[in-house]
Amino acid sequence: MFEYFLVFLGAAIPWLEIALVIPLGIVSGLSPVWVMILAFVGNLLTVLFLIIAFQKVKAWLESRKKKDGKGDSKRTERGKRVWNKYGMPGLALLGPIVIGTHIAAFIGLLFGASKVNTTIWMTISIAIWTLVFGIATAMGFDFFVKNA
């Protein structure tokens, strides 16, 4: 039981994440299904926390900008629309293997992705990579154990 808690906790920590925790959990003999579920939930919860916290800071900064009377230019608004339409899916899907899910979410929000868009794409990405890491590890581990 404690080992499964460590899987959950490891997936929640930004530098460990699902790419390391899932293979380690499965290779150590834990149930692949439970490792994948707990790693997904652990990683997603901390990413959601990051998204919520970022939005509060962003709202505070925007309220200060409005008090100063400065708004975004038309060019900035158009850039944000393009980023929200195409940028977040690519960042979210590559993030877990390139820079990590937490950093990918932070960068997306920093570049202007909406909270909803970031949440949707990060959830999809974490789910896909959880399945990829889990299935590949379980199948590969089974292959080596059966053929040893």
Side-chain angles (χ1 to χ4, degrees), residues 126-143:
I126 294 169
I128 289 171
W129 284 109
T130 296
L131 290 171
V132 167
F133 292 131
I135 293 170
T137 303
M139 290 178 68
F141 189 64
D142 272 352
F143 175 78

Side-chain angles (χ1 to χ4, degrees), residues 18 40 93 121-134:
I18 57 178
F40 172 80
L93 293 172
W121 280 107
M122 292 309 299
T123 302
I124 291 168
S125 173
I126 294 169
I128 289 171
W129 284 109
T130 296
L131 290 171
V132 167
F133 292 131

Side-chain angles (χ1 to χ4, degrees), residues 6 15 17 61 64 69 73 83 88-91 94 96 101 108 111 119 129:
L6 290 177
W15 304 121
E17 301 203 24
L61 289 172
R64 289 196 56 193
S73 68
W83 167 252
M88 196 62 221
L91 182 62
L94 290 175
T101 56
F111 285 165
T119 301
W129 284 109

Side-chain angles (χ1 to χ4, degrees), residues 142-148:
D142 272 352
F143 175 78
F144 285 110
V145 170
K146 288 179 182 176
N147 293 318

